[in-house]
Amino acid sequence: MRVRQFDVAVAGAGPVGMTAAALLVRLGLEVVVVERNATTSDAPKAISVDDEALRVYQWAGLGERVLGIIVPGTGTRYYDAAGRPVFQARAARPYRFGYPFKNPFAQPDLERELMAHLREVATVRMGTELLGFTQDAGGVELKCGDGSLLRARYLLGCDGGRSTVREHLGVGMTGRSHQDVWLVADVLDDPHDERYGMHHGDPARPHVVVPGRDGRCRYEFLLHPGEGAAGVPPSFSLVRSLLAPFRPIEPGQVERAVNYRFNAVVANEWRKDKTFLLGDAAHMMPPFAGQGLNSGIRDAGNLAWKIADVLAGRLDESALDSYETERRPHAEATVRLSEKLGRVVMTTNAAFAARRDRLIDRALGTPAGRGYLEEMRYRPPQHYRSGLVTDGGGAVVGQPRVFDTGQHRTTMFDDAVGEGWALLGVDVELADYPAATALTQSLSPSVVHVATEDRLPARAGRAFVDVDGGLDTEFAGYRGRFVLLRPDRFVAASWRPGDSPDLFWTAERKALS
C-alpha cells in the first residue's frame, strides 16, 4: 500500500486545527487534515475572537476573510446584582494588535471560511476517522478508518476535549468539572444590537448575553437544581421562560439549545515525541473570560512557525519543547482566571454579590481601581520567561502602523516586516549592524532600522518610522538596542551593540556546542 508523505498531519478540522493547518501551509509546508465528521460543524460553540487571534489570521493570510464574519467588538459590560451597568472592560490600548479587541462571531461561519481556504491549499480528508498512529525517529504513521495510511513528520492533535490523539498517547488531564449546569441558547431574529457582551451578576439567576451578526444572539443562564441536567437537551418551554424578560421566542428561532457543565482542565503533557496537543485537546476552561478558542489559536501561533523552522534547518528540533514551556503557564493562568470570574461574577450567594458590588464601586472611585477593571489588568500577561527567549526577550510587540521607506508606503507592522524572523535596530548606529547581522544570519531575518522621536537618519537603508505614535510607544524601551523578533512577534532577545546574546535554540548554535 502506498503511504503518502506530508510534513504535518492535523487531526481535527475544528477552528484550532484548521487555523494551525492554514499557518503551516502559509509557512510553506505540505499539510493533511483528518476529520472524522463529513462536514464542518453547524453548532455555534465559540462566539468571541480577540485581537491577538485576528493577528494570527492576518499572519495566515486569512485576515480579510475572518473580518467579514465578525462584529467589531468593544469588550464586555458587567452588571451588578440589581442589573445596573457598573463598568465595561476594554483594551488598555485600543487597536494595539491592529484589530478590534473582542469580537463576536458564529463558529459555523468561521469554520466554513477556514475550510474553503484549506480545500484550495492543503489536503483535507473529511469523513476520515483516525484509528491510531505509531511514532518513530522519522515521524508519525497514521492509520485511518478508510484503510489508508498517512505519514507525516509531525502530528498535531486538535481533536477537541475528547481527543483521540490524547487518549492514544495515554495523556491524562488535571483539573475539575464544575457541577453547575448552564443552559446555552443561540437564537435568531434577536433585537440586541450591542457590540459588547453583557455579564449579569444577578445571584438569583446569573446570565450572559452576547449579541452577534445578523440578529444572532447567545444567551447563557445558570440553571437551578432540578431545572435540567448536563447533556440532556432543555425543553423549549424552559428556553422560552428564561428568554421571556428579553424577548418572545418561537421554536424556529432557536438555533441551538444545550445544557452543559464547564471543565477546567489541562493536559499533563502537550508533546510526546513527534505529536503535540493543541486547543481543547490540551486545555479546557469555563467561558467567562472568553478565551477558550483564543487560547487554542495562540497554541497554533506558537507552534506552527517552530515546526516550519525546524524542517527548514533554522532551529534545532529541541526548540519544539518550548511550545509547552511557553504556552502552558499562560493557559493554566487563563483557566484560573475563567474559574475566578465565574465564582465572582456568577455567584448565587446574595451576601457575597452585595459585598462584590460594594468593592467594585469602591475600586471604580480610584484611578488605579478603575484602570484595573476597565483595562482588564486582571488578565494574565503574555510574557515568556523561558523557552526560545534570552537576554531582554519575552515580551510581545504590538502592531502599529508604520511608514516603510523600503516600500514607500504606510502599512501595518506585520505586513511590513514579513513572515519570518526580523532583526530591528532601534536608533542604533549604522556601523553596528554588521556584527548583529552576522550573529543572526542563520535565522535569515529581515533587517530593518527603527527610527523613533521623529528622526530618519540618512543612509539608514530600509527603515520604519512612526506615523501615529504607535511605533514610538512599542519600541520606547528598546532604544539604542537591537531587537531579534520571532515570527510570532515575541522578542527573542534584545541587546546593546557590542554584546552577544546566546541564541542557544538555533540549529547552528547546537551544531557548535
Side-chain angles (χ1 to χ4, degrees):
M1 178 184 297
R2 179 175 176 269
V3 180
R4 189 170 173 187
Q5 177 75 46
F6 296 89
D7 292 315
V8 181
V10 178
V16 172
M18 289 194 284
T19 299
L23 275 173
L24 291 162
V25 171
R26 179 78 168 189
L27 295 168
L29 303 188
E30 190 169 3
V31 177
V32 60
V33 180
V34 179
E35 167 59 51
R36 67 165 64 92
N37 295 313
T39 64
T40 57
S41 174
D42 60 359
K45 302 171 186 175
I47 55 167
S48 179
V49 61
D50 66 19
D51 50 355
E52 295 176 44
L54 289 176
R55 190 183 192 183
V56 172
Y57 284 121
Q58 175 192 347
W59 183 14
L62 292 165
E64 295 303 316
R65 294 188 82 139
V66 176
L67 285 177
I69 64 166
I70 69 166
V71 173
T74 59
T76 302
R77 184 168 292 184
Y78 290 90
Y79 296 76
D80 66 11
R84 299 174 303 169
V86 288
F87 71 93
Q88 184 162 333
R90 303 173 182 262
R93 285 169 50 195
Y95 227 66
R96 183 190 173 200
F97 295 107
Y99 294 96
F101 173 57
K102 189 175 182 182
N103 309 280
F105 76 104
Q107 182 167 323
D109 293 343
L110 177 62
E111 292 198 18
R112 281 193 295 269
E113 292 294 334
L114 294 175
M115 180 57 68
H117 172 73
L118 285 178
R119 288 196 181 279
E120 297 174 357
V121 300
T123 299
V124 180
R125 301 280 299 271
M126 300 298 289
T128 303
E129 184 176 5
L130 176 61
L131 299 181
F133 56 90
T134 57
Q135 303 190 74
D136 56 38
V140 187
E141 187 167 282
L142 289 71
K143 181 178 180 182
C144 300
D146 60 4
S148 64
L149 296 177
L150 304 172
R151 187 165 180 84
R153 297 286 297 276
Y154 297 100
L155 169 63
L156 307 188
C158 307
D159 49 346
R162 296 184 176 91
S163 170
T164 297
V165 173
R166 190 184 65 237
E167 181 179 345
H168 187 83
L169 292 173
V171 173
M173 303 191 87
T174 297
R176 66 192 183 105
S177 176
H178 291 256
Q179 295 307 302
D180 293 336
V181 179
W182 285 74
L183 186 151
V184 177
D186 292 288
V187 302
L188 307 173
D189 306 321
D190 197 86
H192 282 97
D193 60 3
E194 295 88 348
R195 289 168 51 203
Y196 49 84
M198 291 159 274
H199 288 214
H200 290 265
D202 175 5
R205 177 78 75 179
H207 57 281
V208 176
V209 182
V210 183
R213 290 177 70 244
D214 303 324
R216 280 194 175 103
C217 192
R218 163 75 57 89
Y219 292 88
E220 301 178 359
F221 300 96
L222 178 63
L223 295 184
H224 297 153
E227 287 185 323
V232 178
S235 66
F236 175 71
S237 61
L238 177 60
V239 174
R240 181 171 55 195
S241 67
L242 291 174
L243 288 176
F246 303 94
R247 57 164 293 178
I249 189 80
E250 299 295 331
Q253 295 172 312
V254 179
E255 194 172 25
R256 182 184 76 137
V258 296
N259 294 337
Y260 72 100
R261 291 191 175 102
F262 302 132
N263 294 303
V265 292
V266 178
N268 297 331
E269 296 176 84
W270 293 22
R271 178 189 184 187
K272 274 200 169 182
D273 301 322
K274 306 290 184 177
T275 301
F276 301 83
L277 301 176
L278 293 79
D280 283 356
H283 43 72
M284 289 182 280
M285 62 192 71
F288 304 114
Q291 288 298 301
L293 171 61
N294 293 296
S295 291
I297 294 173
R298 288 191 187 93
D299 295 343
N302 182 284
L303 179 60
W305 67 270
K306 294 174 181 175
I307 289 176
D309 271 14
V310 167
L311 293 180
R314 287 184 287 270
L315 294 181
D316 184 79
E317 187 170 28
S318 63
L320 298 178
D321 289 334
S322 70
Y323 163 60
E324 181 174 350
T325 300
E326 293 176 353
R327 283 292 304 132
R328 175 184 283 277
H330 189 264
E332 290 178 335
T334 305
V335 170
R336 292 193 296 270
L337 172 64
S338 301
E339 290 187 292
K340 184 179 295 185
L341 286 174
R343 289 194 301 270
V344 173
V345 179
M346 301 300 166
T347 182
T348 57
N349 184 309
F352 181 85
R355 182 167 177 249
R356 172 202 65 198
D357 294 345
R358 288 194 300 272
L359 290 173
I360 288 175
D361 284 342
R362 189 181 306 165
L364 291 171
T366 67
R370 181 171 290 276
Y372 180 80
L373 294 171
E374 292 187 344
E375 296 179 3
M376 299 184 73
R377 296 177 190 170
Y378 46 81
R379 293 208 310 174
Q382 275 265 85
H383 190 111
Y384 300 143
R385 303 193 181 281
S386 57
L388 301 195
V389 295
T390 186
D391 309 317
V396 65
V397 167
Q399 183 171 206
R401 287 181 290 272
V402 302
F403 184 86
D404 180 353
T405 64
Q407 301 180 31
H408 305 289
R409 66 187 180 95
T410 299
T411 186
M412 296 175 74
F413 179 86
D414 290 1
D415 291 337
V417 80
E419 296 173 2
W421 293 79
L423 175 65
L424 310 177
V426 185
D427 296 330
V428 300
E429 297 296 327
L430 302 185
D432 293 319
Y433 276 88
T437 55
L439 180 67
T440 60
Q441 63 181 350
S442 66
L443 297 171
S444 303
S446 57
V447 180
V448 181
H449 185 81
V450 175
T452 68
E453 297 184 326
D454 298 335
R455 297 176 183 272
L456 180 59
R459 299 182 300 280
R462 188 182 180 203
F464 291 169
V465 296
D466 189 87
V467 293
D468 61 5
L471 184 70
D472 282 2
T473 298
E474 286 294 332
F475 288 96
Y478 298 104
R479 286 174 182 148
R481 304 177 71 90
F482 284 101
V483 175
L484 181 61
L485 202 60
R486 307 183 338 174
D488 60 358
R489 306 310 173 220
F490 280 80
V491 176
S494 74
W495 66 97
R496 294 195 177 278
D499 295 340
S500 296
D502 181 11
L503 307 183
F504 56 87
W505 55 82
T506 65
E508 180 183 65
R509 177 68 175 79
K510 286 288 185 179
L512 294 173
S513 61

PDB file of all heavy atoms in Angstrom, residues 4 6 8 10 17-18 20-26 29-34 114-125:
ATOM      1  N   ARG A   4       1.253   7.989   1.670  1.00  0.00           N
ATOM      2  CA  ARG A   4       1.551   9.353   1.241  1.00  0.00           C
ATOM      3  C   ARG A   4       2.234  10.118   2.369  1.00  0.00           C
ATOM      4  O   ARG A   4       1.835  10.028   3.530  1.00  0.00           O
ATOM      5  CB  ARG A   4       0.282  10.070   0.814  1.00  0.00           C
ATOM      6  CG  ARG A   4       0.578  11.413   0.170  1.00  0.00           C
ATOM      7  CD  ARG A   4      -0.618  12.036  -0.467  1.00  0.00           C
ATOM      8  NE  ARG A   4      -0.303  13.386  -0.925  1.00  0.00           N
ATOM      9  CZ  ARG A   4      -1.185  14.241  -1.404  1.00  0.00           C
ATOM     10  NH1 ARG A   4      -2.463  13.877  -1.505  1.00  0.00           N
ATOM     11  NH2 ARG A   4      -0.828  15.442  -1.793  1.00  0.00           N
ATOM     12  N   PHE A   6       3.570  13.614   4.266  1.00  0.00           N
ATOM     13  CA  PHE A   6       3.305  15.033   4.483  1.00  0.00           C
ATOM     14  C   PHE A   6       4.303  15.574   5.500  1.00  0.00           C
ATOM     15  O   PHE A   6       4.924  14.811   6.248  1.00  0.00           O
ATOM     16  CB  PHE A   6       1.886  15.241   5.008  1.00  0.00           C
ATOM     17  CG  PHE A   6       0.802  14.835   4.040  1.00  0.00           C
ATOM     18  CD1 PHE A   6       0.318  13.535   4.033  1.00  0.00           C
ATOM     19  CD2 PHE A   6       0.290  15.749   3.136  1.00  0.00           C
ATOM     20  CE1 PHE A   6      -0.674  13.158   3.138  1.00  0.00           C
ATOM     21  CE2 PHE A   6      -0.705  15.387   2.240  1.00  0.00           C
ATOM     22  CZ  PHE A   6      -1.187  14.082   2.240  1.00  0.00           C
ATOM     23  N   VAL A   8       3.214  17.755   7.925  1.00  0.00           N
ATOM     24  CA  VAL A   8       2.435  17.780   9.163  1.00  0.00           C
ATOM     25  C   VAL A   8       1.046  17.213   8.894  1.00  0.00           C
ATOM     26  O   VAL A   8       0.410  17.563   7.893  1.00  0.00           O
ATOM     27  CB  VAL A   8       2.305  19.208   9.731  1.00  0.00           C
ATOM     28  CG1 VAL A   8       1.514  19.200  11.047  1.00  0.00           C
ATOM     29  CG2 VAL A   8       3.673  19.847   9.954  1.00  0.00           C
ATOM     30  N   VAL A  10      -2.716  17.060  10.685  1.00  0.00           N
ATOM     31  CA  VAL A  10      -3.536  17.714  11.700  1.00  0.00           C
ATOM     32  C   VAL A  10      -4.776  16.872  11.922  1.00  0.00           C
ATOM     33  O   VAL A  10      -5.554  16.647  10.989  1.00  0.00           O
ATOM     34  CB  VAL A  10      -3.928  19.140  11.269  1.00  0.00           C
ATOM     35  CG1 VAL A  10      -4.833  19.777  12.318  1.00  0.00           C
ATOM     36  CG2 VAL A  10      -2.687  19.997  11.046  1.00  0.00           C
ATOM     37  N   GLY A  17      -7.627  23.369  14.679  1.00  0.00           N
ATOM     38  CA  GLY A  17      -6.932  22.524  13.714  1.00  0.00           C
ATOM     39  C   GLY A  17      -6.793  23.199  12.368  1.00  0.00           C
ATOM     40  O   GLY A  17      -5.720  23.169  11.739  1.00  0.00           O
ATOM     41  N   MET A  18      -7.864  23.830  11.900  1.00  0.00           N
ATOM     42  CA  MET A  18      -7.793  24.484  10.593  1.00  0.00           C
ATOM     43  C   MET A  18      -6.921  25.737  10.642  1.00  0.00           C
ATOM     44  O   MET A  18      -6.251  26.064   9.661  1.00  0.00           O
ATOM     45  CB  MET A  18      -9.197  24.800  10.091  1.00  0.00           C
ATOM     46  CG  MET A  18      -9.975  23.553   9.678  1.00  0.00           C
ATOM     47  SD  MET A  18     -11.466  23.920   8.721  1.00  0.00           S
ATOM     48  CE  MET A  18     -12.571  24.496  10.019  1.00  0.00           C
ATOM     49  N   ALA A  20      -4.223  26.079  12.585  1.00  0.00           N
ATOM     50  CA  ALA A  20      -2.856  25.555  12.563  1.00  0.00           C
ATOM     51  C   ALA A  20      -2.478  25.119  11.157  1.00  0.00           C
ATOM     52  O   ALA A  20      -1.367  25.404  10.685  1.00  0.00           O
ATOM     53  CB  ALA A  20      -2.727  24.390  13.547  1.00  0.00           C
ATOM     54  N   ALA A  21      -3.393  24.435  10.476  1.00  0.00           N
ATOM     55  CA  ALA A  21      -3.109  23.971   9.111  1.00  0.00           C
ATOM     56  C   ALA A  21      -2.871  25.144   8.172  1.00  0.00           C
ATOM     57  O   ALA A  21      -1.952  25.126   7.346  1.00  0.00           O
ATOM     58  CB  ALA A  21      -4.258  23.106   8.613  1.00  0.00           C
ATOM     59  N   ALA A  22      -3.688  26.176   8.283  1.00  0.00           N
ATOM     60  CA  ALA A  22      -3.536  27.349   7.418  1.00  0.00           C
ATOM     61  C   ALA A  22      -2.193  28.031   7.654  1.00  0.00           C
ATOM     62  O   ALA A  22      -1.516  28.459   6.708  1.00  0.00           O
ATOM     63  CB  ALA A  22      -4.683  28.327   7.644  1.00  0.00           C
ATOM     64  N   LEU A  23      -1.781  28.143   8.908  1.00  0.00           N
ATOM     65  CA  LEU A  23      -0.481  28.737   9.220  1.00  0.00           C
ATOM     66  C   LEU A  23       0.660  27.906   8.641  1.00  0.00           C
ATOM     67  O   LEU A  23       1.602  28.445   8.046  1.00  0.00           O
ATOM     68  CB  LEU A  23      -0.308  28.857  10.729  1.00  0.00           C
ATOM     69  CG  LEU A  23      -0.881  30.089  11.419  1.00  0.00           C
ATOM     70  CD1 LEU A  23      -0.773  29.939  12.927  1.00  0.00           C
ATOM     71  CD2 LEU A  23      -0.163  31.352  10.968  1.00  0.00           C
ATOM     72  N   LEU A  24       0.586  26.602   8.816  1.00  0.00           N
ATOM     73  CA  LEU A  24       1.649  25.727   8.324  1.00  0.00           C
ATOM     74  C   LEU A  24       1.782  25.811   6.815  1.00  0.00           C
ATOM     75  O   LEU A  24       2.894  25.847   6.272  1.00  0.00           O
ATOM     76  CB  LEU A  24       1.372  24.288   8.768  1.00  0.00           C
ATOM     77  CG  LEU A  24       1.514  24.027  10.277  1.00  0.00           C
ATOM     78  CD1 LEU A  24       0.806  22.741  10.660  1.00  0.00           C
ATOM     79  CD2 LEU A  24       2.979  23.976  10.678  1.00  0.00           C
ATOM     80  N   VAL A  25       0.658  25.844   6.122  1.00  0.00           N
ATOM     81  CA  VAL A  25       0.703  25.979   4.666  1.00  0.00           C
ATOM     82  C   VAL A  25       1.293  27.326   4.274  1.00  0.00           C
ATOM     83  O   VAL A  25       2.103  27.425   3.348  1.00  0.00           O
ATOM     84  CB  VAL A  25      -0.703  25.803   4.064  1.00  0.00           C
ATOM     85  CG1 VAL A  25      -0.715  26.157   2.583  1.00  0.00           C
ATOM     86  CG2 VAL A  25      -1.197  24.374   4.260  1.00  0.00           C
ATOM     87  N   ARG A  26       0.890  28.376   4.979  1.00  0.00           N
ATOM     88  CA  ARG A  26       1.425  29.704   4.706  1.00  0.00           C
ATOM     89  C   ARG A  26       2.945  29.718   4.851  1.00  0.00           C
ATOM     90  O   ARG A  26       3.653  30.457   4.150  1.00  0.00           O
ATOM     91  CB  ARG A  26       0.800  30.713   5.673  1.00  0.00           C
ATOM     92  CG  ARG A  26       1.281  32.131   5.532  1.00  0.00           C
ATOM     93  CD  ARG A  26       0.638  32.834   4.373  1.00  0.00           C
ATOM     94  NE  ARG A  26       0.888  34.263   4.404  1.00  0.00           N
ATOM     95  CZ  ARG A  26       0.306  35.149   3.612  1.00  0.00           C
ATOM     96  NH1 ARG A  26      -0.585  34.738   2.717  1.00  0.00           N
ATOM     97  NH2 ARG A  26       0.585  36.430   3.694  1.00  0.00           N
ATOM     98  N   LEU A  29       4.689  24.511   4.195  1.00  0.00           N
ATOM     99  CA  LEU A  29       4.676  23.078   4.479  1.00  0.00           C
ATOM    100  C   LEU A  29       3.505  22.385   3.796  1.00  0.00           C
ATOM    101  O   LEU A  29       2.477  22.999   3.507  1.00  0.00           O
ATOM    102  CB  LEU A  29       4.614  22.839   5.984  1.00  0.00           C
ATOM    103  CG  LEU A  29       5.741  23.470   6.811  1.00  0.00           C
ATOM    104  CD1 LEU A  29       5.663  23.003   8.250  1.00  0.00           C
ATOM    105  CD2 LEU A  29       7.118  23.142   6.221  1.00  0.00           C
ATOM    106  N   GLU A  30       3.682  21.084   3.555  1.00  0.00           N
ATOM    107  CA  GLU A  30       2.618  20.262   2.979  1.00  0.00           C
ATOM    108  C   GLU A  30       1.837  19.625   4.133  1.00  0.00           C
ATOM    109  O   GLU A  30       2.418  18.935   4.977  1.00  0.00           O
ATOM    110  CB  GLU A  30       3.180  19.192   2.060  1.00  0.00           C
ATOM    111  CG  GLU A  30       2.110  18.483   1.250  1.00  0.00           C
ATOM    112  CD  GLU A  30       2.664  17.597   0.154  1.00  0.00           C
ATOM    113  OE1 GLU A  30       3.907  17.493   0.055  1.00  0.00           O
ATOM    114  OE2 GLU A  30       1.857  17.002  -0.582  1.00  0.00           O
ATOM    115  N   VAL A  31       0.525  19.855   4.153  1.00  0.00           N
ATOM    116  CA  VAL A  31      -0.297  19.529   5.323  1.00  0.00           C
ATOM    117  C   VAL A  31      -1.488  18.684   4.896  1.00  0.00           C
ATOM    118  O   VAL A  31      -2.105  18.928   3.848  1.00  0.00           O
ATOM    119  CB  VAL A  31      -0.792  20.828   6.004  1.00  0.00           C
ATOM    120  CG1 VAL A  31      -1.700  20.509   7.187  1.00  0.00           C
ATOM    121  CG2 VAL A  31       0.389  21.683   6.453  1.00  0.00           C
ATOM    122  N   VAL A  32      -1.828  17.705   5.735  1.00  0.00           N
ATOM    123  CA  VAL A  32      -3.072  16.947   5.578  1.00  0.00           C
ATOM    124  C   VAL A  32      -3.903  17.137   6.842  1.00  0.00           C
ATOM    125  O   VAL A  32      -3.369  17.108   7.959  1.00  0.00           O
ATOM    126  CB  VAL A  32      -2.811  15.450   5.316  1.00  0.00           C
ATOM    127  CG1 VAL A  32      -2.034  14.794   6.457  1.00  0.00           C
ATOM    128  CG2 VAL A  32      -4.126  14.703   5.072  1.00  0.00           C
ATOM    129  N   VAL A  33      -5.193  17.364   6.664  1.00  0.00           N
ATOM    130  CA  VAL A  33      -6.138  17.497   7.771  1.00  0.00           C
ATOM    131  C   VAL A  33      -7.065  16.292   7.747  1.00  0.00           C
ATOM    132  O   VAL A  33      -7.669  15.987   6.710  1.00  0.00           O
ATOM    133  CB  VAL A  33      -6.955  18.797   7.662  1.00  0.00           C
ATOM    134  CG1 VAL A  33      -7.938  18.910   8.823  1.00  0.00           C
ATOM    135  CG2 VAL A  33      -6.035  20.010   7.630  1.00  0.00           C
ATOM    136  N   VAL A  34      -7.175  15.606   8.886  1.00  0.00           N
ATOM    137  CA  VAL A  34      -8.008  14.409   9.008  1.00  0.00           C
ATOM    138  C   VAL A  34      -9.122  14.699  10.000  1.00  0.00           C
ATOM    139  O   VAL A  34      -8.859  15.078  11.145  1.00  0.00           O
ATOM    140  CB  VAL A  34      -7.171  13.197   9.473  1.00  0.00           C
ATOM    141  CG1 VAL A  34      -8.046  11.970   9.626  1.00  0.00           C
ATOM    142  CG2 VAL A  34      -6.033  12.935   8.493  1.00  0.00           C
ATOM    143  N   LEU A 114     -12.602  28.908   6.908  1.00  0.00           N
ATOM    144  CA  LEU A 114     -11.340  28.192   7.025  1.00  0.00           C
ATOM    145  C   LEU A 114     -11.311  26.979   6.103  1.00  0.00           C
ATOM    146  O   LEU A 114     -10.301  26.710   5.436  1.00  0.00           O
ATOM    147  CB  LEU A 114     -11.110  27.758   8.472  1.00  0.00           C
ATOM    148  CG  LEU A 114     -10.897  28.882   9.497  1.00  0.00           C
ATOM    149  CD1 LEU A 114     -10.802  28.302  10.905  1.00  0.00           C
ATOM    150  CD2 LEU A 114      -9.654  29.687   9.173  1.00  0.00           C
ATOM    151  N   MET A 115     -12.417  26.248   6.041  1.00  0.00           N
ATOM    152  CA  MET A 115     -12.453  25.060   5.190  1.00  0.00           C
ATOM    153  C   MET A 115     -12.361  25.426   3.712  1.00  0.00           C
ATOM    154  O   MET A 115     -11.657  24.763   2.924  1.00  0.00           O
ATOM    155  CB  MET A 115     -13.726  24.255   5.461  1.00  0.00           C
ATOM    156  CG  MET A 115     -13.865  22.987   4.609  1.00  0.00           C
ATOM    157  SD  MET A 115     -12.457  21.843   4.778  1.00  0.00           S
ATOM    158  CE  MET A 115     -12.677  21.290   6.479  1.00  0.00           C
ATOM    159  N   ALA A 116     -13.039  26.485   3.308  1.00  0.00           N
ATOM    160  CA  ALA A 116     -12.966  26.909   1.906  1.00  0.00           C
ATOM    161  C   ALA A 116     -11.523  27.231   1.526  1.00  0.00           C
ATOM    162  O   ALA A 116     -11.061  26.897   0.424  1.00  0.00           O
ATOM    163  CB  ALA A 116     -13.866  28.114   1.676  1.00  0.00           C
ATOM    164  N   HIS A 117     -10.807  27.862   2.442  1.00  0.00           N
ATOM    165  CA  HIS A 117      -9.401  28.183   2.172  1.00  0.00           C
ATOM    166  C   HIS A 117      -8.547  26.921   2.119  1.00  0.00           C
ATOM    167  O   HIS A 117      -7.728  26.741   1.194  1.00  0.00           O
ATOM    168  CB  HIS A 117      -8.891  29.124   3.260  1.00  0.00           C
ATOM    169  CG  HIS A 117      -7.418  29.382   3.193  1.00  0.00           C
ATOM    170  ND1 HIS A 117      -6.842  30.176   2.234  1.00  0.00           N
ATOM    171  CD2 HIS A 117      -6.387  28.930   3.970  1.00  0.00           C
ATOM    172  CE1 HIS A 117      -5.533  30.217   2.403  1.00  0.00           C
ATOM    173  NE2 HIS A 117      -5.229  29.472   3.460  1.00  0.00           N
ATOM    174  N   LEU A 118      -8.721  26.027   3.091  1.00  0.00           N
ATOM    175  CA  LEU A 118      -7.870  24.845   3.152  1.00  0.00           C
ATOM    176  C   LEU A 118      -8.079  23.914   1.973  1.00  0.00           C
ATOM    177  O   LEU A 118      -7.137  23.250   1.517  1.00  0.00           O
ATOM    178  CB  LEU A 118      -8.108  24.088   4.463  1.00  0.00           C
ATOM    179  CG  LEU A 118      -7.505  24.724   5.711  1.00  0.00           C
ATOM    180  CD1 LEU A 118      -7.854  23.910   6.942  1.00  0.00           C
ATOM    181  CD2 LEU A 118      -5.991  24.854   5.581  1.00  0.00           C
ATOM    182  N   ARG A 119      -9.278  23.841   1.457  1.00  0.00           N
ATOM    183  CA  ARG A 119      -9.515  22.981   0.286  1.00  0.00           C
ATOM    184  C   ARG A 119      -8.714  23.460  -0.919  1.00  0.00           C
ATOM    185  O   ARG A 119      -8.445  22.670  -1.837  1.00  0.00           O
ATOM    186  CB  ARG A 119     -11.003  22.925  -0.035  1.00  0.00           C
ATOM    187  CG  ARG A 119     -11.806  22.107   0.982  1.00  0.00           C
ATOM    188  CD  ARG A 119     -13.172  21.731   0.449  1.00  0.00           C
ATOM    189  NE  ARG A 119     -13.961  20.983   1.405  1.00  0.00           N
ATOM    190  CZ  ARG A 119     -13.843  19.669   1.634  1.00  0.00           C
ATOM    191  NH1 ARG A 119     -12.925  18.970   0.974  1.00  0.00           N
ATOM    192  NH2 ARG A 119     -14.630  19.067   2.512  1.00  0.00           N
ATOM    193  N   GLU A 120      -8.314  24.712  -0.912  1.00  0.00           N
ATOM    194  CA  GLU A 120      -7.522  25.252  -2.015  1.00  0.00           C
ATOM    195  C   GLU A 120      -6.028  25.019  -1.825  1.00  0.00           C
ATOM    196  O   GLU A 120      -5.284  24.990  -2.805  1.00  0.00           O
ATOM    197  CB  GLU A 120      -7.770  26.759  -2.154  1.00  0.00           C
ATOM    198  CG  GLU A 120      -9.211  27.129  -2.499  1.00  0.00           C
ATOM    199  CD  GLU A 120      -9.427  28.638  -2.473  1.00  0.00           C
ATOM    200  OE1 GLU A 120      -8.451  29.368  -2.134  1.00  0.00           O
ATOM    201  OE2 GLU A 120     -10.543  29.090  -2.774  1.00  0.00           O
ATOM    202  N   VAL A 121      -5.570  24.868  -0.573  1.00  0.00           N
ATOM    203  CA  VAL A 121      -4.125  24.886  -0.322  1.00  0.00           C
ATOM    204  C   VAL A 121      -3.583  23.651   0.382  1.00  0.00           C
ATOM    205  O   VAL A 121      -2.366  23.482   0.475  1.00  0.00           O
ATOM    206  CB  VAL A 121      -3.748  26.140   0.504  1.00  0.00           C
ATOM    207  CG1 VAL A 121      -4.115  27.411  -0.237  1.00  0.00           C
ATOM    208  CG2 VAL A 121      -4.394  26.123   1.886  1.00  0.00           C
ATOM    209  N   ALA A 122      -4.443  22.794   0.896  1.00  0.00           N
ATOM    210  CA  ALA A 122      -3.987  21.631   1.662  1.00  0.00           C
ATOM    211  C   ALA A 122      -4.780  20.398   1.242  1.00  0.00           C
ATOM    212  O   ALA A 122      -5.743  20.477   0.468  1.00  0.00           O
ATOM    213  CB  ALA A 122      -4.144  21.886   3.164  1.00  0.00           C
ATOM    214  N   THR A 123      -4.364  19.241   1.767  1.00  0.00           N
ATOM    215  CA  THR A 123      -5.122  18.010   1.583  1.00  0.00           C
ATOM    216  C   THR A 123      -6.076  17.860   2.758  1.00  0.00           C
ATOM    217  O   THR A 123      -5.636  17.848   3.916  1.00  0.00           O
ATOM    218  CB  THR A 123      -4.188  16.795   1.506  1.00  0.00           C
ATOM    219  OG1 THR A 123      -3.301  16.951   0.387  1.00  0.00           O
ATOM    220  CG2 THR A 123      -4.984  15.505   1.343  1.00  0.00           C
ATOM    221  N   VAL A 124      -7.371  17.761   2.484  1.00  0.00           N
ATOM    222  CA  VAL A 124      -8.381  17.675   3.527  1.00  0.00           C
ATOM    223  C   VAL A 124      -9.102  16.348   3.389  1.00  0.00           C
ATOM    224  O   VAL A 124      -9.660  16.037   2.328  1.00  0.00           O
ATOM    225  CB  VAL A 124      -9.375  18.846   3.437  1.00  0.00           C
ATOM    226  CG1 VAL A 124     -10.417  18.740   4.540  1.00  0.00           C
ATOM    227  CG2 VAL A 124      -8.644  20.188   3.526  1.00  0.00           C
ATOM    228  N   ARG A 125      -9.113  15.570   4.460  1.00  0.00           N
ATOM    229  CA  ARG A 125      -9.755  14.240   4.463  1.00  0.00           C
ATOM    230  C   ARG A 125     -10.917  14.272   5.444  1.00  0.00           C
ATOM    231  O   ARG A 125     -10.792  13.890   6.607  1.00  0.00           O
ATOM    232  CB  ARG A 125      -8.734  13.171   4.858  1.00  0.00           C
ATOM    233  CG  ARG A 125      -7.499  13.095   3.941  1.00  0.00           C
ATOM    234  CD  ARG A 125      -7.771  12.333   2.678  1.00  0.00           C
ATOM    235  NE  ARG A 125      -8.143  10.973   2.977  1.00  0.00           N
ATOM    236  CZ  ARG A 125      -7.275   9.955   3.109  1.00  0.00           C
ATOM    237  NH1 ARG A 125      -5.971  10.182   2.995  1.00  0.00           N
ATOM    238  NH2 ARG A 125      -7.690   8.734   3.368  1.00  0.00           N
TER     239      ARG A 125
END
